[in-house]
Amino acid sequence: MKANLALLVILALALALRVTGLEQNGWGADYYTAAVRSMSISWHNLFYVAFDPAGFISVDKPPLALWLQVASVKLFGFQSLALLLPQALMGVVSVALLYHLVKRNFGVGIALIAALLFALMPVSVAVNRTNNTDSALVLVLLLAAWAMLKATEESSAKILILAMVLVGVAFNVKMLAGVLLLPVFVLLYITMAKKPLVSRIRDLAVSSVVLLLISLSWATVVQLTPADQRPYIGSSRSNSVFELILGHNAMSRLFSAGDRAAGQPTVEPGADTRSTVRELRLRMFVRSATGPLRLWSGQLAAQIGWFLPVLLFGLAAWVVQQFGGSSRPLATDDIKVVQLAHRREISLCLWIGWLLTYWLIYSYLGGIIHFYYLATLAPVLAVLAAMAGAKLWALRGAHRRLAGWLLPVLPLALGGWQIYVQMSAMGWQSIASLWSQREAWLAFIHAALLATLLASAATLLMSRFMAARSAKRLDSVALMASGMALLLLPTIWSLSSVRVPAPGVLPSADLYRWQALTRDPIAAGLLRFGQLPEQTRLIEFLKSQRKAISSPATGTLSQGSAAGHQFLLATSTTHWAAPIIIRTGDAVMARGGYHGLDPATTPDSLRRMVDQGQVRFAMLNDVLQLSRRLGADQAGSEVTSWIRAQGKLVDPSLWRDATERGDAELYDLRSATP
């Protein structure tokens, strides 16, 4: 009963962190939000993950996670809360699932601690408050881990097939990212399942076929669909879903492309507010060099790394037990005890393999990496930290003298580590400087943390000179106090995602953002996280100029075809197109895809659409600086030249307020029609 109550409290805390003030995040990542609105319009768009209502181009992800969002907006209406709520709920379900996974082999206590740490993990809170697809990915990976553990424990081919089905589902959530744990799963089964080697190999061979069928089912159907009957495959150069899988969603993530991965938006220098906005935008990107310590400093560490010393101390405790004579082979005929020991070995191997896989990939990832990727590391770090803490406590009973000196060091080491993470993530902002920056509450938190840990360390040190029973009681109180204190900074970082809006397309926890936007509310207005840009006059102008056209009576889509819809506008990238689609539900053509790099449109195809009355207005100079650094201007140069040569520049006063800034140009292509 107490365990159930504790779990309910943890789940309530997880829910509160994920839904409180959720509406402030607005439309989240408008690229995916526009796709959700477009997908909710027709079954064709739903299946092909169309970015726009006309089905001209698709987004860069498989459909599964976005289907869940479509289901929500169809049920509750197209509104921001309906869009964001599924991810928040998936985050809470993931916490409950992690508790179940740990409890079945390691007991209620460790399971509760793991669930609490996972619920408070800053990157998990940040990701679960957006419409990013990683919330679904983590949930499916945990389900696959559950099935893989049972398959290995029971040496069951049927459950192994279920595990591979779930890995295939994960692939259809985020492609390559969904199958990174596959080598760990295979090694786990081949080495630890209790059946003949030939049988294990046969089981893996059969389940691998199932995995391929599930993983590639959607992609194969899309690839076999004639190109003129589906959207152009966004973020591909050859209109191929397999290029998207192996290129944009694989090789570009693993390998650097020179300055391509380092491209970041810039802001004009000037007033303090502009400087603040510039720094906040730069902090949305990972700028740390690759290497084994990459994840354990700066903003990356602040997402997941608060309890790393516990893992190291737990490893030391394991070494002591293994080589200090307290760890002996089981000498029992109790089959339940033997089975439990075997299940624990399997579970531990799974979690360690999970940790090593993602640590190696994220540490040495030379291509695209974002803070929210670390959401896949959050559950395993929570589990291993809880296990390591339990191992340290067990060491106290077996090696009381050694533990008497080791346990007092642990709170101080953890406290020092958390202060290091805090300062490195905040740009080495010292505790003393917080007083001068009107952040006294944060300075007080640091002071309270250090005072509590010092008192706990002193108590743990004194207890070694007391009787065993009294010492154990005193140690429990001291460790509980230090444990509560050590949750303060991670919780505050999680609250940073609750207190201020976060960038939906690049979610991360950032206490610096909370501080900066609290001190400078004007900067918050300039950042507009989750809020749509002001396009009212543009939309009104385009709608007033729109001509009615007859709808073709076909049930198929053609590349470049409006399929019964007239494109309200043709933009260079999705940057201008997505907000208009979200607001109006009208078709807007992002002729170059997300960054303007996709050859989805040529001068000839655009001319044909203009001739057919499908497109009249086109936007130029609407490309973000980041997209320019990636080569958008060069990729779209031929289309841009054609628009300038054939179109007529529209007076900006007709479609833009005088106070609006920017170099965007609107062209009327009606003059290009013979």
Side-chain angles (χ1 to χ4, degrees), residues 113-439:
I113 295 173
L116 177 62
L117 296 182
F118 185 32
L120 295 176
M121 203 70 74
V123 70
S124 295
V125 175
V127 167
N128 294 157
R129 293 176 61 86
T130 71
N131 58 329
N132 197 281
T133 59
D134 285 63
S135 297
L137 175 64
V138 171
L139 177 58
V140 177
L141 287 178
L142 287 172
L143 287 170
W146 164 79
M148 198 65 222
L149 287 173
K150 284 191 68 67
T152 307
E153 293 166 4
E154 300 178 14
S155 301
S156 170
K158 291 182 179 179
I159 303 180
L160 178 64
I161 290 175
L162 173 61
M164 292 305 179
V165 167
L166 289 168
V167 173
V169 171
F171 182 88
N172 283 290
V173 171
K174 208 178 177 185
M175 293 185 174
L176 179 66
V179 298
L180 291 178
L181 289 178
L182 185 59
V184 176
F185 288 177
V186 171
L187 284 173
L188 192 71
Y189 191 82
I190 200 73
T191 59
M192 305 199 75
K194 290 185 174 181
K195 62 189 329 184
L197 179 61
V198 173
S199 298
R200 282 175 274 166
I201 294 174
R202 184 187 63 239
D203 293 348
L204 287 169
V206 173
S207 62
S208 296
V209 173
V210 175
L211 169 64
L212 286 174
L213 290 174
I214 299 297
S215 298
L216 300 180
S217 56
W218 175 82
T220 301
V221 172
V222 173
Q223 189 68 26
L224 292 177
T225 303
D228 61 351
Q229 296 181 23
R230 59 164 170 79
Y232 184 95
I233 305 301
S235 298
S236 75
R237 302 298 177 90
S238 60
N239 197 12
S240 167
V241 70
F242 289 108
E243 184 205 329
L244 174 66
I245 293 170
L246 299 174
H248 177 73
N249 285 326
M251 302 306 291
S252 69
R253 313 280 164 172
L254 296 175
F255 301 106
S256 175
D259 291 335
R260 173 175 168 165
Q264 290 151 11
T266 59
V267 182
E268 299 177 12
D272 290 341
T273 293
R274 293 286 176 182
S275 178
T276 299
V277 171
R278 179 181 185 277
E279 178 62 23
L280 288 172
R281 285 182 174 168
L282 289 175
R283 289 177 65 87
M284 291 165 54
F285 295 84
V286 176
R287 292 173 282 172
S288 56
T290 58
L293 302 180
R294 184 187 204 182
L295 303 185
W296 313 124
S297 64
Q299 290 174 258
L300 286 166
Q303 307 303 313
I304 56 167
W306 296 96
F307 299 98
L308 178 63
V310 178
L311 273 65
L312 300 178
F313 275 77
L315 177 62
W318 178 82
V319 170
V320 168
Q321 286 192 333
Q322 289 296 115
F323 300 100
S326 62
S327 179
R328 301 181 179 87
L330 286 174
T332 178
D333 294 329
D334 190 335
I335 190 171
K336 291 185 178 180
V337 174
V338 174
Q339 289 176 343
L340 177 60
H342 183 58
R343 292 204 310 268
R344 285 182 172 180
E345 289 178 356
I346 294 171
S347 183
L348 192 58
C349 288
L350 171 69
W351 295 118
I352 291 175
W354 186 323
L355 173 64
L356 291 177
T357 298
Y358 282 108
W359 168 69
L360 286 171
I361 291 173
Y362 295 155
S363 294
Y364 293 96
L365 203 63
I368 303 170
I369 180 172
H370 298 301
F371 294 113
Y372 67 85
Y373 289 5
L374 301 187
T376 52
L377 267 173
V380 63
L381 285 172
V383 170
L384 291 179
M387 290 181 183
K391 180 66 70 174
L392 286 167
W393 183 252
L395 180 67
R396 186 193 179 284
H399 296 271
R400 186 165 181 263
R401 179 174 297 179
L402 176 62
W405 293 108
L406 185 60
L407 288 180
V409 177
L410 179 60
L412 295 179
L414 267 169
W417 170 257
Q418 290 195 353
I419 296 297
Y420 158 77
V421 170
Q422 167 80 355
M423 291 196 298
S424 66
M426 299 286 285
W428 296 102
Q429 185 181 34
S430 67
I431 300 174
S433 68
L434 296 175
W435 292 100
S436 60
Q437 295 184 16
R438 294 175 297 176
E439 300 290 348

Side-chain angles (χ1 to χ4, degrees), residues 528-540:
R528 307 180 68 88
F529 289 144
Q531 309 303 312
L532 301 182
E534 181 52 55
Q535 295 175 315
T536 303
R537 286 208 64 195
L538 172 62
I539 294 172
E540 290 176 349

Side-chain angles (χ1 to χ4, degrees), residues 587-605:
V588 180
M589 179 199 302
R591 57 181 185 269
Y594 185 75
H595 276 303
L597 304 175
D598 305 342
T601 308
T602 65
D604 288 341
S605 66

Side-chain angles (χ1 to χ4, degrees), residues 416-616:
W417 170 257
Q418 290 195 353
I419 296 297
Y420 158 77
V421 170
Q422 167 80 355
M423 291 196 298
S424 66
M426 299 286 285
W428 296 102
Q429 185 181 34
S430 67
I431 300 174
S433 68
L434 296 175
W435 292 100
S436 60
Q437 295 184 16
R438 294 175 297 176
E439 300 290 348
W441 68 272
L442 188 55
F444 175 79
I445 292 293
H446 285 81
L449 170 64
L450 292 175
T452 303
L453 295 180
L454 285 171
S456 297
T459 303
L460 291 168
L461 190 60
M462 287 189 304
S463 71
R464 68 182 302 272
F465 302 106
M466 301 173 60
R469 180 176 297 180
S470 301
K472 185 176 181 179
R473 187 180 300 112
L474 198 60
D475 287 350
S476 299
V477 173
L479 289 174
M480 183 173 294
S482 60
M484 296 297 291
L486 289 166
L487 292 177
L488 287 174
L489 286 179
T491 302
I492 290 172
W493 273 78
S494 294
L495 286 172
S496 70
S497 299
V498 179
R499 291 291 297 164
V500 297
V505 69
L506 297 174
S508 65
D510 194 354
L511 184 57
Y512 183 95
R513 185 189 308 133
W514 181 1
Q515 288 183 280
L517 297 185
T518 300
R519 290 195 298 264
D520 192 352
I522 298 177
L526 294 175
L527 284 167
R528 307 180 68 88
F529 289 144
Q531 309 303 312
L532 301 182
E534 181 52 55
Q535 295 175 315
T536 303
R537 286 208 64 195
L538 172 62
I539 294 172
E540 290 176 349
F541 172 78
L542 293 173
K543 283 184 171 290
S544 69
Q545 298 295 315
R546 188 175 193 177
K547 288 184 177 180
I549 62 171
S550 58
S551 301
T554 63
T556 61
L557 288 176
S558 300
Q559 180 188 333
S561 168
H565 298 278
Q566 180 186 27
F567 286 104
L568 198 62
L569 178 66
T571 63
S572 301
T573 71
T574 62
H575 173 63
W576 277 71
I580 299 176
I581 293 172
I582 293 170
R583 277 199 172 102
T584 68
D586 287 317
V588 180
M589 179 199 302
R591 57 181 185 269
Y594 185 75
H595 276 303
L597 304 175
D598 305 342
T601 308
T602 65
D604 288 341
S605 66
L606 185 57
R607 176 185 55 78
R608 286 195 299 270
M609 285 184 279
V610 172
D611 291 346
Q612 295 168 5
Q614 296 174 4
V615 180
R616 176 180 173 184

Side-chain angles (χ1 to χ4, degrees), residues 569 576 618-622 644 649-650 652 655-656 662-667:
L569 178 66
W576 277 71
M619 191 76 73
L620 294 181
N621 283 341
D622 54 335
R644 290 192 188 280
L649 185 65
V650 179
W655 60 274
R656 184 168 61 192
D663 300 322
E665 299 172 336
L666 184 65
Y667 282 82

Side-chain angles (χ1 to χ4, degrees), residues 65-118:
L66 296 178
W67 283 349
L68 298 176
Q69 296 177 33
V70 172
S72 181
V73 300
K74 293 294 284 186
L75 183 62
F76 299 109
F78 186 71
Q79 53 181 313
S80 63
L81 279 177
L83 186 79
L84 301 176
L85 189 60
Q87 289 68 243
L89 296 179
M90 281 188 280
V92 178
V93 173
S94 295
V95 173
L97 180 56
L98 187 74
Y99 169 82
H100 171 74
L101 283 172
V102 178
K103 175 190 172 185
R104 60 192 299 271
N105 290 330
F106 293 95
V108 171
I110 296 177
L112 288 173
I113 295 173
L116 177 62
L117 296 182
F118 185 32

Side-chain angles (χ1 to χ4, degrees), residues 641-659:
S641 298
W642 186 87
I643 292 173
R644 290 192 188 280
Q646 301 297 322
K648 177 182 179 182
L649 185 65
V650 179
D651 184 354
S653 65
L654 297 176
W655 60 274
R656 184 168 61 192
D657 290 330
T659 56

